C-alpha cells in the first residue's frame, strides 16, 4: 500500500523482503513464474567465473561436434567394414539424431526445474562411454553399431539442450550475443576436427575404429571441469531477478511456447538449415572423393579429402558465426528484427554457391572448394542468431524446454532426415551400382534437393521477422515478473501459495 491507501503502479510495486530473498509470483498466459532476487551468495557469480563457465561450455561443445562428425570423416572405411551402402550408412547419422531429438524434450523439462550442472555431467559421461563401446562392435553386428550411435545422441541431448540456457542466465544483450558467438564457434571447429582427427587417427593406427577412441577420454575431462568449476546460476539471474518454475505442466509449457510465432517460424527456418548442413556434412567427403575420381585424379585419398573438408568447414564456421553476429548487430540499429532478416539472407544467399559447387566439381576442384567455403560461410551465419532469438523471445523459465522442442523439430526433420532421405535417393539413382561415375551422379542429383530446402528456410525466417519485436517484449516482461502488458496478473496468484506480493 502507498501511504495514501491507493494502489501503486505496477512499476512501483516491491516484493516482500526476507533474510535471503525477494519473491514475486505472476502468470503470463499459461506460464507460471516465480521471480526471485537472491540476497545470498548463491545468486552471485563474478564475471571471471562466468567467463570460465563459457570457456568450459565451449570445450564441451567442441567435443560434441568432434564426436558427431568423426564418422563422416571415415565413412568409406565404415561402409567397407560393415559392407553397407549410402542408405544404410545414412542410418548412422539419422539414428544418432533421432536418439538426440527424442530425449531432448525430457532434458529440456528437467533443465527448467533441476540442477543443470549434474544433468550435463551425466549426459557427457553416457555419450563418452557409449562412443568408446561403439568402436568394438564386430563387422557382423551393424545393427548394434546403429543402436549405440542412437544412445550417443541421448547423451549429447542433455548437454546441447541445457548449455545455451546457462549462458542466457549469465549475460544479457550484446554480451550474451558475444558469448553465444564464442560458444557456437565450437560447431565449425569441432566439426572440422572431427573430419581431420577421425581420418588421420584411422590412418595412423590402420583402423577406423581408433577414430572413435579419441573423444571418450576428453569427455572424462569435461565431466571433471563441469563438476568442479561450473555452477548452475538461478534462472534469469542476469535479467533483473532469478526465476524458477512453479506448478505448470509439460503440456502447459509446450502450449505456451507453441503460441510464440517467432519461436515456431525461426525453428522451422532452422530445420531447413540443419537439413542442408546435415546432408552436406555427412556426404561431402565421399562426394568430393568421387568428384576427384571422375575428374581423373586417382591419387587423392579419403583422409586427404576429409582434411580439406575439415579446414574449409572450420574456416567457414569461424567467418560465418562472426559475420552473422557482427552484421546482425549493425542491422538491429536500423531494424529491430535484424536477427531474423540476417538469417533469411544468409540461407538464401548460400544456395547459388552450393549449386555452383555441385555442378563445377567435375571440372575444377579449386573453384569448387572456394564455392563450398562461401556457401558454408553464409549458411553458418544462422547459428548464433537463431539461439539468441530463442533466448530473448522466450521467458527465462521456459528456455530449456524451448531449446528442447526446437532441437527435436530441427533435428528430427533436419539432419536426422536428410542423410536417410538423400542416401536412399542416391542409391535409387544408381549410388549402389559400384561404378564410381554412376555413384557420383546419384549422390550429386540427390544433393540438389538441399537447394530447394534453403529457399524454404529463407521464407520461414522472413515471416518470423514480422513477429520478433512483439514476442521479445512479451518475454522480457514475463521474465521480470510482469505480464506481457506490463502489469501483474492477479488471477495467477494461488491462495495456497507460500509466496506473497506486497504493495497491493
Amino acid at each position: 500500500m502507498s501511504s495514501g491507501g491507493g494502489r501503486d503502479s505496477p512499476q512501483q510495486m516491491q516484493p516482500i523482503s526476507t533474510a535471503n530473498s525477494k519473491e514475486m509470483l505472476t502468470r503470463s498466459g499459461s506460464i507460471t513464474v516465480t521471480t526471485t532476487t537472491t540476497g545470498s551468495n548463491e545468486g552471485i557469480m563474478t564475471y571471471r567465473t562466468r567467463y570460465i563457465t563459457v570457456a568450459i561450455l565451449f570445450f564441451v561443445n567442441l567435443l560434441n561436434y568432434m564426436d558427431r562428425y568423426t564418422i563422416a570423416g571415415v565413412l568409406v572405411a565404415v561402409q567397407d567394414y560393415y559392407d553397407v551402402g549410402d542408405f544404410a550408412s545414412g542410418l548412422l547419422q539419422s539414428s544418432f539424431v533421432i536418439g538426440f531429438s527424442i530425449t531432448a524434450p525430457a532434458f529440456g523439462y528437467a533443465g527448467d526445474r533441476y540442477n543443470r550442472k549434474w544433468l550435463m555431467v551425466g549426459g557427457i559421461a553416457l555419450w563418452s562411454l557409449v562412443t568408446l563401446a561403439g568402436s568394438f562392435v564386430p563387422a557382423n553386428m551393424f545393427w548394434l553399431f546403429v543402436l549405440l550411435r542412437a544412445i550417443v545422441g541421448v547423451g549429447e541431448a542433455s548437454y546441447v539442450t541445457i548449455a545455451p540456457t546457462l549462458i542466457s542466465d549469465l549475460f544479457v544483450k550484446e554480451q550474451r550475443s558475444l558469448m553465444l558467438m564464442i560458444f557456437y564457434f565450437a560447431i565449425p571447429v569441432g566439426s572440422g576436427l572431427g573430419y581431420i582427427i577421425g581420418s588421420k587417427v584411422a590412418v595412423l593406427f590402420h583402423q577406423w575404429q581408433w577414430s572413435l577412441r579419441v573423444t571418450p577420454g576428453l569427455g572424462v575431462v569435461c565431466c571433471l571441469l563441469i563438476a568442479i568449476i561450473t555452477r548452475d546460476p538461478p534462472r534469469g539471474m542476469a535479467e533483473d531477478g532469478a526465476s524458477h518454475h512453479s506448478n505448470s505442466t509439460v503440456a502447459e509449457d509446450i502450449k505456451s511456447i507453441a503460441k510464440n510465432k517467432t519461436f515456431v517460424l525461426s525453428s522451422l527456418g532452422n530445420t531447413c538449415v540443419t537439413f542442408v548442413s546435415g546432408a552436406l556434412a555427412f556426404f561431402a567427403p565421399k562426394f568430393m572423393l568421387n568428384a576427384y575420381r571422375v575428374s581423373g585424379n586417382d591419387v587423392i585419398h579419403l583422409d586427404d579429402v576429409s582434411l580439406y573438408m575439415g579446414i574449409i568447414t572450420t574456416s567457414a564456421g569461424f567467418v560465418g558465426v562472426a559475420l552473422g553476429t557482427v552484421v546482425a548487430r549493425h542491422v538491429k540499429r536500423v531494424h529491430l528484427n535484424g536477427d531474423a532478416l540476417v538469417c533469411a539472407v544468409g540461407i538464401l544467399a548460400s544456395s547459388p554457391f552450393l549449386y555452383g559447387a555441385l555442378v563445377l566439381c567435375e571440372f575444377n576442384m579449386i573453384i569448387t572448394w572456394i564455392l563450398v567455403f562461401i556457401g558454408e560461410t553464409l549458411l553458418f551465419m544462422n547459428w548464433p542468431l537463431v539461439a539468441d532469438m530463442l533466448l530473448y523471445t522466450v521467458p527465462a523459465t521456459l528456455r530449456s524446454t524451448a531449446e528442447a522442442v526446437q532441437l527435436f523439430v530441427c533435428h528430427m526433420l533436419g539432419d536426422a532426415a536428410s542423410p536417410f532421405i538423400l542416401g536412399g535417393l542416391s542409391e535409387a539413382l544408381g549410388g549402389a551400382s559400384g561404378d564410381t561415375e554412376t555413384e557420383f551422379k546419384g549422390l550429386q542429383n540427390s544433393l540438389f534437393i538441399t537447394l530447394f530446402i534453403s529457399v524454404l528456410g529463407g521464407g520461414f525466417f522472413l515471416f518470423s521477422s514480422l513477429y520478433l519485436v512483439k514476442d521479445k517484449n512479451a518475454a522480457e516482461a514475463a521474465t521480470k515478473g510482469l505480464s506481457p502488458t506490463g502489469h501483474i496478473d492477479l488471477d495467477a496468484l494461488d491462495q495456497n501459495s507460500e509466496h506473497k506480493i506486497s504493495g497491493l
Side-chain angles (χ1 to χ4, degrees):
M1 283 283 188
S2 63
S3 59
R7 185 185 294 257
D8 291 331
S9 66
Q11 290 80 2
Q12 294 171 325
M13 294 179 183
Q14 296 297 327
I16 281 179
S17 297
T18 64
N20 292 320
S21 65
K22 301 176 181 179
E23 295 182 331
M24 180 164 61
L25 182 67
T26 184
R27 181 181 291 271
S28 173
S30 63
I31 307 169
T32 304
V33 179
T34 302
T35 304
T36 305
T37 304
T38 306
S40 66
N41 289 334
E42 292 180 1
I44 300 174
M45 291 181 68
T46 65
Y47 272 101
R48 179 174 179 271
T49 302
R50 299 183 191 197
Y51 293 139
I52 292 174
T53 298
V54 173
I56 294 172
L57 295 179
F58 169 86
F59 180 55
V60 182
N61 207 29
L62 184 78
L63 180 63
N64 170 25
Y65 280 87
M66 278 180 61
D67 177 80
R68 190 175 298 191
Y69 288 102
T70 296
I71 295 293
V74 292
L75 182 59
V76 174
V78 173
Q79 288 178 322
D80 291 341
Y81 181 77
Y82 287 108
D83 192 24
V84 295
D86 289 343
F87 177 75
S89 62
L91 288 174
L92 291 172
Q93 184 71 357
S94 296
S95 65
F96 167 86
V97 180
I98 289 171
F100 176 95
S101 303
I102 289 176
T103 54
F107 284 113
Y109 179 83
D112 280 332
R113 291 161 174 80
Y114 305 111
N115 192 298
R116 292 172 286 188
K117 167 180 174 176
W118 297 113
L119 288 171
M120 289 192 296
V121 169
I124 296 168
L126 175 64
W127 108 48
S128 300
L129 178 63
V130 177
T131 297
L132 181 63
S135 69
F136 296 100
V137 175
N140 63 340
M141 300 183 72
F142 179 70
W143 62 270
L144 179 59
F145 190 50
V146 172
L147 177 62
L148 290 176
R149 293 306 295 174
I151 298 175
V152 171
V154 173
E156 291 195 14
S158 68
Y159 170 77
V160 176
T161 303
I162 293 170
T165 68
L166 285 175
I167 295 175
S168 74
D169 291 332
L170 297 175
F171 302 93
V172 292
K173 298 182 179 180
E174 289 193 357
Q175 272 194 320
R176 175 190 289 169
S177 298
L178 177 62
M179 292 302 111
L180 286 172
M181 179 186 75
I182 294 171
F183 177 75
Y184 283 105
F185 272 141
I187 297 181
V189 177
S191 302
L193 288 175
Y195 288 129
I196 297 169
I197 294 178
S199 60
K200 293 302 180 182
V201 168
V203 171
L204 180 64
F205 289 95
H206 307 290
Q207 277 188 314
W208 66 266
Q209 287 90 340
W210 279 97
S211 63
L212 297 178
R213 297 168 187 168
V214 176
T215 56
L218 296 175
V220 174
V221 175
C222 291
C223 288
L224 293 174
L225 289 173
I226 293 176
I228 296 171
I229 300 175
T230 302
R231 294 168 59 186
D232 185 12
R235 277 71 169 171
M237 184 183 75
E239 298 166 284
D240 299 328
S243 304
H244 57 273
H245 245 285
S246 174
N247 300 329
S248 62
T249 65
V250 178
E252 288 175 334
D253 289 352
I254 294 177
K255 181 179 178 181
S256 179
I257 293 169
K259 293 179 180 179
N260 187 320
K261 293 183 176 65
T262 301
F263 170 79
V264 172
L265 291 167
S266 63
S267 294
L268 291 174
N270 199 39
T271 299
C272 296
V273 173
T274 57
F275 186 99
V276 175
S277 60
L280 294 176
F282 191 73
F283 286 117
K286 179 182 179 180
F287 175 74
M288 297 300 278
L289 178 64
N290 285 340
Y292 275 109
R293 297 283 187 265
V294 170
S295 62
N297 187 335
D298 295 325
V299 178
I300 197 165
H301 299 288
L302 178 62
D303 60 303
D304 298 318
V305 176
S306 295
L307 175 62
Y308 302 156
M309 192 69 198
I311 293 172
I312 286 178
T313 299
T314 301
S315 303
F318 260 114
V319 177
V321 170
L323 183 64
T325 302
V326 172
V327 171
R329 182 183 300 176
H330 285 84
V331 172
K332 283 190 288 188
R333 294 174 182 172
V334 181
H335 303 285
L336 296 179
N337 58 356
D339 283 340
L341 295 176
V342 172
C343 285
V345 172
I347 190 171
L348 289 172
S350 69
S351 297
F353 293 100
L354 295 178
Y355 172 78
L358 290 172
V359 172
L360 295 177
C361 59
E362 296 182 69
F363 311 105
N364 192 313
M365 291 302 297
I366 295 178
I367 294 178
T368 298
W369 284 118
I370 293 173
L371 293 174
V372 169
F373 171 78
I374 298 173
E376 286 195 336
T377 297
L378 294 168
L379 198 63
F380 295 163
M381 289 172 63
N382 291 272
W383 285 337
L385 305 185
V386 170
D388 205 10
M389 282 193 289
L390 183 149
L391 295 173
Y392 66 63
T393 59
V394 174
T397 53
L398 290 178
R399 285 172 184 159
S400 288
T401 299
E403 285 279 354
V405 171
Q406 186 178 82
L407 287 170
F408 177 82
V409 173
C410 292
H411 291 296
M412 284 295 288
L413 301 179
D415 53 354
S418 58
F420 179 77
I421 293 172
L422 298 187
L425 182 59
S426 171
E427 289 194 0
L429 296 173
S433 66
D435 177 70
T436 300
E437 185 169 358
T438 304
E439 288 186 355
F440 167 76
K441 286 294 184 182
L443 191 53
Q444 180 188 50
N445 289 329
S446 67
L447 287 171
F448 281 130
I449 292 176
T450 60
L451 307 177
F452 297 100
I453 300 297
S454 295
V455 174
L456 184 62
F460 283 129
F461 281 123
L462 287 174
F463 277 112
S464 72
S465 70
L466 302 176
Y467 306 99
L468 190 148
V469 176
K470 177 183 176 182
D471 290 334
K472 179 177 183 291
N473 292 336
E476 288 178 350
T479 298
K480 293 178 181 179
L482 301 174
S483 72
T485 60
H487 297 279
I488 295 177
D489 187 351
L490 300 180
D491 293 333
L493 298 178
D494 187 341
Q495 293 181 353
N496 298 321
S497 175
E498 297 178 358
H499 303 80
K500 298 178 181 180
I501 290 183
S502 65
L504 301 181

